[in-house]
Amino acid sequence: MASQESHLTATLLTSILAAVLGSLQIGYHTGNVNAPAKIIEEFFNHTWRARHNQSMPDHSLTLLWSLSVSIKDFGALLGSLGVKYLADSYGRRNSILIVNCLSVVGACLMSASKSSKSFEVLILGRLVFGLFCGLVMSLNPLYIQEVPALFYKSASLKVQKFKVQQGSSCMCLLQVAGLDTVLGTEHYWAMMLSLSVIPALTQYLVLPFCPESPRYLLIDQGEESKAEAALLRLRGSSDKVFSELEEMKEEAAHTQSGVTIHQFFKKRRYKQPIIIVLIINLGSQLSGFNAIINYSTRMFQAKFDQAKYLTLGVGAVNVIFTLVAFFLMEKAGRRRLLLTGFISIAVCNLLMTIVDSVLHLVPELRSLQVLLVFCLISAYELGPGPISWFIAAELFDQPGRPIAMAFTSMLNWGGKFVLALLFPPLLKLCGEYIYLFFMAVALAAFSFTWIRLPETKGRTFDDIAEEFRGAEGIPLHNNIGFNTFT
C-alpha cells in the first residue's frame, strides 16, 4: 500500500490553498514593522509629545519599540494554549475559521492606530493578531497533515513545506511593501498593516466548502460515514477510500481516544518525542534568526546608508532557501537538514562575533557581516525553521497530536517573544558577544539532534507512533536503523 501514489484532486487542492491563506497572513505580519521602523517610532514619539509636551526618553522608546515588536509573539504564546480545546471540540477546519476573526480584528486595530493617534491601539492590534498566530500555526499543520493521502508522508510533507514557503514569500512581499518608496511611508504605513484582511476574507469565502479532516472525524469523533464522505470528496475515487478507512481503523485500535494534558506529559511513549520537540524548537528560535528578521534594518543602519534594501535582501534570501529546502527535504531527510542547519548557524554566529569585534579597525569587513547574516538565514531555512514547526505532527499519534502542536506553538512563539523583547537591550549591553549565546544554543541543538532525533522521512504516522510505543524505556539511538542518515 505504501507504494501507491496520492492524486491531487480539485477538492484536495482547494482545501490546501484555503488553509495556506492563514499562513500567508502570518507571513505578511512577520517583521512587517522592520523596514518602516523609524517612521513608526517617530509616530510613537509624536504621540507622546502631543500628550506630555516633551519627547519620549530614548530608553523608554527602545523598550516601547521592543514591546511593540514582541507583543505579537506573546499573544501567539497565549493563543497556543487554546489549540487542543478548539481542535478537539470543533474540528480542524472549523477551528481555523473561528480563529480567523482574530486576524481581521487585529489588522483593523493596527490600521486604526494612526487615525486614532494611539500607539496603544497598534500594540493591542499586534497582541490580538498574535493570538491568531498561536492558534492557526498549530491548527494549520493538523489540517494539512491529515487532509492529503493520509499514509503517504511525502505528499503530506510537500503540502506542509508549501505552506511554509508561501509564508516566507509573503514575508518578502511585506518587506517590499514596507519600503519608503512603496507603502512604508508616513502616510501609508497604517494601510500597509491592514492588507492581511484580504487573505483572511478570502479564507472565509473558500474554506467552508472544504471537507473536515477524515482522520479527525473517524478517530476522534467515531463518525465513520462522515469520514468516508469526506475521503470520497478529497480522493475523487471510491477505490482509494476503503483502504484508507481500514488503515485509520487500524491506527485507532492502537490508540485511545482523547489524551489529557496531564496524560500527555506522563505517558512514557511521549517522553522522547516531547524532549525532541523541546530541544529542536528552542534551538531553532533562540539561535539568532528571529533577532535578524525583527531588527535587521536597525542592525544595518549603523553601517549602511541603504539599510532598508539590505533588509529586503534578508527577505529574498529567506524565500530562496525555503524553496531550496522544499526540494531537498524529502531527498536529504529531516535529520540531516537539521544537523546541517544548526552547525552552520553556530559557525555564522561565531564569525559574526569576530567580525563585529574588529569592525571598528577594519570597516571594509561590513560587507562580510552582511554575507554572514545571509548565510545564517539560509542555514535556518534549510532545516531548523520549517522542520521545527511540523516535526511534532510526525512524531506523535492521533490523540497526542493536538497537544503536541500546541506545545510546539508555545515553544516557537515563546522563543520568538523572549528574543524580540530582550534583543535590543541585550545588544546594547553585550554588543557583538550576544552572538556567542546564539552559537551556544545552536551547538546544543546540533548535539542533541545528532544523538537523539530519529529520521521520519518516508514513514507513516502509525509506523512512527508504533516505534515509540515499542521503544518505551529504550534509548532511540540504540534502535538500529531508526536514527540514521539513510
Side-chain angles (χ1 to χ4, degrees), residues 166-422:
Q166 290 301 310
S168 298
S169 299
C170 204
M171 183 164 63
C172 185
L173 175 63
L174 74 89
Q175 288 175 331
V176 174
L179 294 176
D180 58 13
T181 54
V182 189
L183 295 178
T185 65
E186 182 180 354
H187 298 290
Y188 296 115
W189 64 264
M191 184 180 73
M192 178 194 71
L193 298 180
S194 69
L195 294 182
S196 63
V197 299
I198 297 175
L201 295 177
T202 304
Q203 193 169 48
Y204 274 126
L205 295 175
V206 178
L207 196 57
F209 299 99
C210 302
E212 180 55 87
S213 160
R215 181 178 289 265
Y216 166 77
L217 292 172
L218 180 64
I219 300 179
D220 292 316
Q221 299 296 303
E223 298 178 343
E224 184 176 342
S225 60
K226 290 185 178 180
E228 184 176 355
L231 273 175
L232 188 58
R233 289 184 60 193
L234 289 166
R235 304 296 171 255
S237 176
S238 58
D239 60 337
K240 300 182 179 64
V241 171
F242 177 77
S243 60
E244 291 197 31
L245 280 174
E246 290 303 311
E247 291 278 5
M248 283 193 287
K249 290 177 184 178
E250 183 179 342
E251 180 182 351
H254 293 153
T255 59
Q256 66 180 82
S257 60
V259 174
T260 66
I261 295 177
H262 177 73
Q263 291 172 334
F264 178 81
F265 287 102
K266 291 293 289 185
K267 282 184 176 292
R268 292 184 63 190
R269 71 169 178 264
Y270 289 160
K271 286 186 178 180
Q272 286 286 353
I274 287 173
I275 295 173
I276 291 170
V277 169
L278 174 69
I279 299 300
I280 289 178
N281 279 274
L282 290 183
S284 174
Q285 300 309 321
L286 299 180
S287 59
F289 170 82
N290 290 294
I292 292 173
I293 288 298
N294 287 320
Y295 298 107
S296 59
T297 299
R298 178 169 294 187
M299 290 168 62
F300 291 142
Q301 271 176 343
K303 306 174 183 69
F304 294 92
D305 294 332
Q306 300 297 325
K308 57 193 176 184
Y309 294 108
L310 291 176
T311 299
L312 183 60
V314 167
V317 171
N318 192 34
V319 172
I320 291 171
F321 279 89
T322 303
L323 285 169
V324 172
F326 184 95
F327 294 104
L328 282 181
M329 192 78 69
E330 203 56 33
K331 182 178 180 181
R334 288 43 140 190
R335 186 173 184 272
R336 180 176 293 180
L337 289 182
L338 278 173
L339 289 171
T340 303
F342 280 132
I343 194 64
S344 299
I345 289 172
V347 171
C348 288
N349 277 306
L350 175 61
L351 293 177
M352 285 176 67
T353 303
I354 297 172
V355 169
D356 270 20
S357 299
V358 300
L359 199 59
H360 64 286
L361 299 175
V362 190
E364 293 78 10
L365 289 179
R366 62 181 186 174
S367 298
L368 178 58
Q369 183 198 40
V370 175
L371 178 61
L372 289 172
V373 168
F374 289 170
C375 288
L376 188 149
I377 292 170
S378 63
Y380 176 87
E381 290 298 351
L382 273 179
I387 294 175
S388 64
W389 278 109
F390 66 76
I391 192 68
E394 297 187 341
L395 295 179
F396 290 85
D397 56 18
Q398 185 74 10
R401 196 169 294 130
I403 302 179
M405 294 308 300
F407 183 56
T408 295
S409 186
M410 290 179 62
L411 292 172
N412 269 286
W413 293 111
K416 290 176 186 289
F417 167 68
V418 170
L419 199 57
L421 181 65
L422 298 182

Side-chain angles (χ1 to χ4, degrees), residues 62-101:
T62 298
L63 290 176
L64 183 62
W65 181 247
S66 298
L67 176 64
S68 303
V69 173
S70 63
I71 197 68
K72 175 178 71 70
D73 301 327
F74 178 70
L77 175 62
L78 296 179
S80 63
L81 298 176
V83 170
K84 173 176 167 53
Y85 171 76
L86 285 171
D88 288 345
S89 301
Y90 301 100
R92 283 45 163 158
R93 182 202 62 179
N94 292 340
S95 295
I96 294 173
L97 287 170
I98 291 170
V99 304
N100 203 38
C101 67

